[in-house]
Structure formats: C-alpha cells, structure tokens
Amino acid sequence: MDSRFFERKCFVTTSESLLKFMQEQEDDSSLTFDMEKDTKEIFLYSPAYDVEYNEDDIIERVSNELNVSLSVLAMN
C-alpha cells in the first residue's frame, strides 16, 4: 500500500455528508448547515431545539467518531 495514505494531513467530505453525520449523532432531522456571513464560521443550527453547534462542536464530534485529530473546518 502507498505510504502516502498514512501521511495525509486532512480529509475531504461534502457538507451534505457532514450534516447527515451530525443529524445521526443528535437524532435531529431539523439541523441546518450554514456559515456566518461576517466571520465565515461554519455552524449547524437546530430550530427544533434552538441549539447551535459551532466549528469546535463539530470538530469534536467528528474527531471522536473517526478517532482522528482535526483542527480546522474549511468550505470551498
């Protein structure tokens, strides 16, 4: 196997996949994925529970689930 696979510093997923993952974690189909217009911070918002998950919350959940260390979320 190509050793470069083990040296990756990041991975890419779609925003739809991330949203589905977070919905499964929270059992909340009302979550919406968005970005602050001014600060460009990524967040998930649940109107059903009036809860907002910021980048740190998302990184923590994804990191724990994948057993990897994430530091930054980016949108393209």
Side-chain angles (χ1 to χ4, degrees), residues 64-65 76:
N64 288 342
E65 180 71 17
N76 186 354

Side-chain angles (χ1 to χ4, degrees), residues 3-26:
S3 65
R4 287 177 297 177
F5 176 81
F6 297 105
E7 297 169 3
R8 290 183 303 169
K9 302 289 189 228
C10 66
F11 73 95
V12 176
T13 187
T14 64
S15 56
E16 290 83 9
S17 295
L18 178 59
L19 177 59
K20 185 171 186 261
F21 169 79
M22 291 295 290
Q23 286 173 330
E24 290 169 356
Q25 298 299 302
E26 293 299 324

